[in-house]
Amino acid sequence: MFENTTFSITTFGCQMNKHDSERIAGLLESLGSIAVSSPAEADFSIFMTCCVREKADERLMGQVATMKNDAPRKGSPFGRRFVAIGGCIGQRDGEKLLTQLDNVDVVFGTHNMETLPQLLESAIEKGSRRAEIIDGRAEFHDELPEDREHPWAAWLPITVGCNNFCTFCIVPYVRGREISRPLDEIADQARAYVQQGVKEITLLGQNVNSYGRDLYGSPRFDAVLDAVAASGIERIRFATSHPKDLTDGVIERFATLPNLMPALHLPAQSGSNRILAAMNRRYTIEHYEGLIEKLRVVRPYIALSTDIIVGFPGETEDDFEQTCELVKRVGYNQVFTFIYSRRDGTPAARLPDDTPRSVIQERFDRLVSIVREGALARNRLSLDRTMPVLIEGISKRNASMMAGKSPYNQTVHLPLPAGTSLQQWEGTIVTAHIEEARTWYLRGSMQS
């Protein structure tokens, strides 16, 4: 039924969603379906969704709704397109999506990705619309094949689910409670990736730092880093870290493991202890900055990124100013800034707040200005330095420039050498001399 059909996958949200999309792609390709880049070209248009912020809901609704009046597809074996919604919005809303979007055929959740082909078959053969959502424990779905976006880079989930229950976050309710993957399975997968030619592994989890608490009674993420480093992989990254579980052992690995990249995403969310308590983050700013100090002792130039929420219910001007001061003190390479998004079903959704939207927007804009200044200052530290860069593709703005990532997770643009093609360089690590620093990228030249 799937032989010589086409599919597209549109992915919203976190790295775990991207990994799930690669699993879905591998599953459909194993049945003979062919990936295409545009939903408009696909027999099966699949949306892997995120429900952490309202904007993701709006994007999904907008994109699916625009497909509503498409004419019947000529050349399609079915005469029309089939639309499926999965991921976190699928898990959260289930059959509700069939009511909201009358051109959606299939809805599935985070716990039953492997049933998508059967659900599509049912929609094709019976002409019925169906939502199948399973409430259960989080799973790794490692039995499914995968089609990685880049052959030289791989996601490697080590935990799934989350036990933190931050008051603003819906993830524990749609992804399930946290479970850890056995260490020997992680090590085996890392070695397999190395044998396949992978250059960079990113370890994934809603909270990688708590790895092993369910297996051993306490976090052992440092043991995961040791095991993956021993595979011989050239680059290791991980996401996402929760400050309350970042141990001295993990910090020490930034000094002792040369293939652990000197970059860390450590979400602060706010610079105010009062707001952090209301968020149920379970650390103080003093503890957070103590972690930063330890990290910069072992890796003085480590690149730090973070998440900041502006406009959490009850945030005052003083709370916001404390956040701005934290951003200035730490000196982040990158800050992902978000206006608080109310999520039904979370404790924060019940908190009263009378702060005008215009005030929240003005604060957000102020913070963005501070973030830009700090990012440029950090990038300027790389001027006239030589560093290895993993080439990932062509620059989105200039077809004569290649784009890659430094060990510090900075985007680096390099001229495509004359007489060569991008295919010769993709997935290779080259030596670059940095000659120009901009707010969000570096520019340099390749060294022989």
Side-chain angles (χ1 to χ4, degrees):
M1 177 172 290
F2 293 94
E3 194 73 32
N4 296 321
T5 61
T6 58
F7 72 91
S8 71
I9 301 178
T10 303
T11 306
F12 304 104
C14 67
Q15 294 96 331
M16 193 70 77
N17 253 18
K18 293 178 182 178
H19 177 263
D20 287 349
S21 293
E22 291 181 347
R23 291 293 192 189
I24 292 291
L27 178 61
L28 292 176
E29 287 174 345
S30 72
L31 298 173
S33 195
I34 302 165
V36 293
S37 59
S38 169
E41 304 170 14
D43 297 313
F44 307 112
S45 295
I46 300 158
F47 294 83
M48 295 297 287
T49 61
C50 170
C51 61
V52 171
R53 296 178 181 87
E54 185 177 6
K55 185 172 288 187
D57 286 62
E58 293 172 350
R59 289 176 64 196
L60 170 70
M61 297 300 174
Q63 289 195 27
V64 174
T66 60
M67 304 167 65
K68 185 172 182 176
N69 297 321
D70 280 354
R73 286 175 44 74
K74 294 180 180 179
S76 167
F78 315 115
R80 72 176 184 90
R81 175 186 302 111
F82 287 81
V83 177
I85 296 177
C88 292
I89 292 180
Q91 183 72 28
R92 183 194 66 189
D93 291 349
E95 290 190 4
K96 180 180 175 183
L97 289 167
L98 299 180
T99 302
Q100 292 175 313
L101 297 163
D102 59 13
N103 63 326
V104 172
D105 300 281
V106 168
V107 178
F108 61 104
T110 57
H111 304 312
N112 64 324
M113 293 192 301
E114 71 281 356
T115 66
L116 177 60
Q118 290 74 37
L119 294 171
L120 288 172
E121 283 184 12
S122 177
I124 294 166
E125 293 175 348
K126 301 178 181 178
S128 60
R129 305 167 69 222
R130 184 176 174 188
E132 183 177 280
I133 307 301
I134 297 173
D135 291 326
R137 72 184 236 138
E139 296 181 26
F140 286 101
H141 299 288
D142 53 320
E143 77 284 357
L144 299 180
E146 66 178 1
D147 176 18
R148 298 196 306 274
E149 181 181 4
H150 302 299
W152 62 85
W155 310 109
L156 204 173
I158 65 167
T159 70
V160 289
C162 184
N163 292 349
N164 289 319
F165 291 94
C166 300
T167 60
F168 56 81
C169 187
I170 197 72
V171 168
Y173 305 96
V174 293
R175 283 283 181 181
R177 301 302 294 270
E178 183 178 278
I179 61 172
S180 301
R181 193 174 186 179
L183 184 58
D184 58 346
E185 289 186 13
I186 297 171
D188 288 345
Q189 185 66 70
R191 287 191 291 268
Y193 281 143
V194 171
Q195 292 172 1
Q196 295 167 22
V198 170
K199 299 289 181 66
E200 180 174 287
I201 289 175
T202 301
L203 306 174
L204 289 184
Q206 264 70 46
N207 177 12
V208 292
N209 289 339
S210 67
Y211 170 86
R213 180 176 277 118
D214 56 323
L215 299 176
Y216 313 112
S218 61
R220 295 193 183 178
F221 182 45
D222 49 3
V224 175
L225 293 173
D226 289 339
V228 175
S231 71
I233 191 70
E234 293 187 56
R235 290 185 167 196
I236 302 170
R237 300 188 189 277
F238 57 87
T240 293
S241 292
H242 196 296
K244 74 178 178 63
D245 294 316
L246 182 58
T247 65
D248 289 346
V250 172
I251 292 173
E252 179 186 335
R253 283 354 183 239
F254 281 101
T256 60
L257 299 178
N259 44 2
L260 177 58
M261 293 296 96
L264 174 64
H265 185 68
L266 194 63
Q269 305 298 1
S270 174
S272 162
N273 283 333
R274 190 180 73 84
I275 295 299
L276 289 177
M279 290 177 169
N280 192 36
R281 291 293 287 174
R282 289 180 280 176
Y283 57 82
T284 64
I285 285 303
E286 291 75 19
H287 175 76
Y288 182 91
E289 292 196 79
L291 296 174
I292 302 298
E293 183 177 345
K294 290 179 181 179
L295 286 161
R296 285 189 165 146
V297 168
V298 299
R299 291 301 291 265
Y301 293 101
I302 190 169
L304 298 169
S305 57
T306 198
D307 295 336
I308 296 290
I309 295 173
V310 177
F312 186 83
E315 181 183 60
T316 65
E317 178 66 20
D318 181 62
D319 294 321
F320 173 72
E321 285 293 342
Q322 291 180 53
T323 297
C324 293
E325 291 305 312
L326 173 70
V327 171
K328 292 175 184 177
R329 287 195 303 271
V330 171
Y332 293 104
N333 289 64
Q334 194 168 12
V335 180
F336 298 91
T337 53
F338 307 96
I339 290 178
Y340 169 73
S341 185
R342 182 181 178 275
R343 302 282 81 189
D344 289 337
T346 62
R350 301 190 296 268
L351 295 176
D353 186 45
D354 58 0
T355 307
R357 178 73 181 196
S358 59
V359 171
I360 294 173
Q361 184 64 56
E362 187 276 332
R363 289 174 182 168
F364 179 84
D365 294 342
R366 240 191 300 163
L367 178 61
V368 168
S369 179
I370 293 169
V371 167
R372 291 178 63 89
E373 292 176 7
L376 179 58
R378 296 300 296 181
N379 270 351
R380 282 174 173 163
L381 297 177
S382 296
L383 282 172
D384 206 31
R385 295 182 63 192
T386 299
M387 60 180 66
V389 173
L390 174 60
I391 302 298
E392 296 183 332
I394 208 72
S395 168
K396 295 179 181 179
R397 296 185 177 182
N398 188 338
S400 67
M401 300 287 286
M402 301 184 298
K405 285 292 173 66
S406 77
Y408 303 95
N409 210 31
Q410 301 152 300
T411 297
V412 181
H413 291 170
L414 302 169
L416 180 65
T420 68
S421 67
L422 175 64
Q423 287 70 31
Q424 293 175 244
W425 300 102
E426 278 187 307
T428 65
I429 297 177
V430 304
T431 301
H433 181 255
I434 305 304
E435 298 163 347
E436 184 179 351
R438 298 291 183 93
T439 303
W440 306 125
Y441 66 91
L442 304 172
R443 187 173 289 167
S445 59
M446 283 174 49
Q447 305 292 291
S448 57

